[in-house]
Structures are given as C-alpha cells and as structure tokens.
Amino acid sequence: MTPGLVDAHVHLGLSSPIQPQFSFQISAAEIAADIFATAGAALDAGFTTVRDTGGIDGGVVTTIANGKVRGPRVLSCGPVQCQTGGHGYFGADWEPSELWSAHHVPGLCALSMMSGNADELRSNVREAFRRGATFLKLCVTGGVVGAHDRLTDTQFTIDEISVAVQEAASRGTYVTVHAHNNEGIRNAIQAGARCVEHGTDLDEPTAALMAAHGVALVPTFAVVDQLLHHSAAAGLGESSRERVAGVRERMAEALHTAKAADVRIGLGSDLIGPAQSRRGEELTLRARLETPMDALVAATKTNAEILGLSGEVGVIAPGMQADLVLWNRNPLEDPEVFSDPTNAVVVIQAGKIVKDSR
C-alpha cells in the first residue's frame, strides 16, 4: 500500500491529437470525451490528485469534483499565460494571433491566453482566476512542443512576471513557470515565482538561487520519452521529435544539480495527446535516476507540499484524506510496477473505493 499518487504536471485538456485539435478538426464532444477518459485513466493508474498546468477550463474541474465523471482531485491554472506568439501559442503561421482565443471551448478547454504587455497580462490572469484557476502558470522560455520558439528563447520580463505573482499572492496562491533555460528561471525567481516546470538546462548557480528562495522544481521525463518514441501518437509532427533531441540527458543532469543544491523536487509526467494511460512511467523513469523510494516520495509527500495540500494528501497518517493505492506487488522492489495501471488493483480516494480489480 502507498499513498495515492500525485502528478504535478498534467494536461487533461490536451487528450486529443494535438494538431487536429488546434486546427478545428475535432468536435467539442470528442474533446470532452477524450478529457474525461484521460481523467479516469489517471485514477486507474493510482493518481488520486493531479495539477493541471494548462488546457482545461473550470467546468472540467467542477464536473469531476461533482462526481459526474471519474477522475482525480484536480487543481488547475486554467489557460497558460504566454507572451504574444510565445510558447503556448499554436496558431497557424498565417492566422492572426488575435483569433487564437477562438480555439477555446468555454467551460471545457482553453490552452493559453496571450499578453503583449504587463497590463494585458494582469487582465488575463484576473480572467483566469474568474474562470476557476487556483494558481497561475506562465511560459517564460520557449519549449519543445511548438513551432514559434526555441528552448533558448526567454519570454516575459521580470516586471511582467511580477504582475502575475502579485495577482496570485493577493489570492493566497502562487505562480509556477514553464522554463528550460537559466535566464528564464532567474527572471522568474526574481519576480517571486514559487515553482519551475522542466528546468532542462538548470546550472549550479541557478539551482542554488532556487534553493535560497524556496523555489521547487518539477522535472518531466515521461513526455520527453513520449516525444522521442511516440510523437505521431500524440498527434504531433516529426519536428517535435527533432526539438526534443538531447533534452532527456540535460534534464537528468539538471535533476542531479537540483538535488545537490537541496532544491525541493517534485514529479510531473506532462503527457500530451491520447496516449496518457501509462502516467506512472514517470515514477519508473525517476526511479532509474534516483531510487524507487525517491520517486515515490516525490510523487506523494513532496508533490503535496508543492501543490499546497500537505495537510490533506501525500502521506498515510491520521487526519489526512484517505487516498491509498494497493499494488499487486511491491513497486519499491520493482519500479516497473508503477508504469502499468493494471498493477494498481485497488484505488481509494478520500475514503471511497474508486477502483477495485481484485
């Protein structure tokens, strides 16, 4: 038995093939079906809590919380905040950027909101909170999945990021940032962000700065493997595979750099597209780089701390939510157990049995 697993970086709203979804080739009904199927699959894999880092609108969180469909406890940032034409924008080259919001389906999916300056960002994050966001995510560097930027690009200024931090703090919550390069990470730290997603090229001085400011890191290895080996299954072109070359090795080095600096390190899968059933592969991959126990602690106790739920989930103790997983064998002896959802034979969420395959 382990605590219910926590995935700190999911994209339920990106459960359909990516390129067809963003070019209006998939109906809202099918997108909804894919989102809810992925939510149920997360629960079946032993994940009783997830943090959605961009793609769903508030209606998805409410629908799952009300028990209308099966799914984990969901914390959501709503749409990702990105700079005009930056990472998180997937419109066609010919499409005017102001038409991007037409890809949103209110109450269901909303990948990103674009801002050209601090005032626009302030307006957008207020709108995200109005629509149900419980934290904010900003893209402060380029990314792997995208055609308009590179990992070395730095996006948003310190002053712009500070606006989002201010708005989040006024609501008692925080900002996490998508960041691959050190300049973007440093800008985010200076602005007051509390968490970094990916951190691919993290160096020692930046890791030390993160530790000094209490900024957490959430590496994401499963999506890298997904893009290296199954990019077509995610509905992405060959260019995505080319862009991810070398990222896995650098992210592994960044993990060890962060650990040496005593940075708090969580765990996130970042899986995209329809192939999200084997979410536990993130623990298997982390177990190979650290130990199975390190991976399990990251996916339970540490993630709960990062999400602000340390008093509710992440450990088995009196007074906590009864989120538990019974495995058919010990995943600490064989971490491959985490990868196959059929190995999670019983899943209990808040004291209720939500899966029983005995």
Side-chain angles (χ1 to χ4, degrees), residues 247-302:
V247 167
R248 194 185 192 287
E249 293 77 13
R250 291 170 10 233
M251 191 178 289
E253 181 61 31
L255 170 67
H256 295 305
T257 299
K259 193 168 185 177
D262 202 24
V263 172
R264 178 182 292 169
I265 306 172
L267 177 146
S269 66
D270 194 20
L271 294 174
I272 55 176
Q276 298 193 35
S277 62
R278 293 175 63 85
R279 189 170 303 281
E281 285 187 347
E282 185 67 29
L283 283 85
T284 303
L285 294 171
R286 280 286 292 275
R288 294 172 187 165
L289 295 168
E290 301 179 89
T291 70
M293 180 59 84
D294 289 332
L296 179 59
V297 170
T300 52
K301 181 177 181 293
T302 304

Side-chain angles (χ1 to χ4, degrees), residues 107-122:
L108 181 65
C109 59
L111 177 63
S112 61
M113 303 174 78
M114 288 188 297
S115 304
N117 55 54
D119 288 340
E120 290 181 4
L121 181 61
R122 189 182 298 277

Side-chain angles (χ1 to χ4, degrees), residues 4-334:
L5 304 179
V6 181
D7 191 335
H9 193 123
V10 308
H11 291 290
L12 298 179
L14 303 183
S15 297
S16 302
I18 305 302
Q19 290 177 337
Q21 179 176 345
F22 294 154
S23 56
F24 299 106
Q25 298 177 44
I26 303 178
S27 70
E30 187 172 351
I31 292 171
D34 290 340
I35 288 173
F36 295 132
T38 296
L43 205 57
D44 287 338
F47 289 87
T48 53
T49 303
V50 300
R51 181 178 66 162
D52 193 287
T53 51
I56 59 173
D57 215 352
V60 173
V61 178
T62 302
T63 299
I64 296 174
N66 288 343
K68 293 184 177 181
V69 296
R70 296 178 68 247
R73 186 180 295 104
V74 181
L75 284 71
S76 171
C77 69
V80 175
Q81 305 299 323
C82 67
Q83 73 176 33
T84 302
H87 187 66
Y89 173 70
F90 292 93
D93 291 343
W94 54 265
E95 183 183 60
S97 59
E98 60 266 22
L99 298 180
W100 173 244
S101 60
H103 293 266
H104 291 188
V105 181
L108 181 65
C109 59
L111 177 63
S112 61
M113 303 174 78
M114 288 188 297
S115 304
N117 55 54
D119 288 340
E120 290 181 4
L121 181 61
R122 189 182 298 277
S123 176
N124 282 340
V125 301
R126 287 176 175 175
E127 175 66 9
F129 280 125
R130 185 195 69 78
R131 286 157 57 172
T134 55
F135 68 98
L136 297 175
K137 178 188 172 187
L138 274 63
C139 293
V140 301
T141 75
V144 173
V145 180
H148 303 279
D149 51 37
R150 301 161 298 175
L151 268 66
T152 53
D153 292 349
T154 301
Q155 301 172 3
F156 280 132
T157 65
I158 295 172
D159 289 343
E160 288 170 333
I161 302 169
S162 297
V163 165
V165 171
Q166 181 185 47
E167 291 293 330
S170 70
R171 293 163 177 81
T173 188
Y174 67 96
V175 170
T176 189
V177 295
H178 158 106
H180 288 279
N181 68 56
N182 289 290
E183 184 177 358
I185 295 172
R186 286 176 169 272
N187 287 348
I189 294 170
Q190 186 171 338
R194 297 308 303 265
C195 187
V196 172
E197 314 294 315
H198 315 303
T200 301
D201 291 314
L202 182 69
D203 60 20
E204 291 182 5
T206 308
L209 193 65
M210 288 179 66
H213 286 80
V215 177
L217 174 68
V218 177
T220 53
F221 290 95
V223 70
V224 177
D225 273 26
Q226 181 187 39
L227 295 176
L228 281 172
H229 304 297
H230 308 290
S231 58
L236 293 165
E238 186 66 22
S239 62
S240 295
R241 183 176 179 178
E242 296 169 357
R243 288 162 68 93
V244 81
V247 167
R248 194 185 192 287
E249 293 77 13
R250 291 170 10 233
M251 191 178 289
E253 181 61 31
L255 170 67
H256 295 305
T257 299
K259 193 168 185 177
D262 202 24
V263 172
R264 178 182 292 169
I265 306 172
L267 177 146
S269 66
D270 194 20
L271 294 174
I272 55 176
Q276 298 193 35
S277 62
R278 293 175 63 85
R279 189 170 303 281
E281 285 187 347
E282 185 67 29
L283 283 85
T284 303
L285 294 171
R286 280 286 292 275
R288 294 172 187 165
L289 295 168
E290 301 179 89
T291 70
M293 180 59 84
D294 289 332
L296 179 59
V297 170
T300 52
K301 181 177 181 293
T302 304
N303 270 355
E305 293 169 353
I306 291 172
L307 273 57
L309 297 176
S310 58
E312 302 176 46
V313 301
V315 299
I316 301 172
M320 306 290 283
Q321 294 276 2
D323 283 11
L324 308 167
V325 184
L326 303 182
W327 304 90
N328 59 11
R329 58 187 189 276
N330 189 350
L332 298 184
E333 296 176 355
D334 178 12

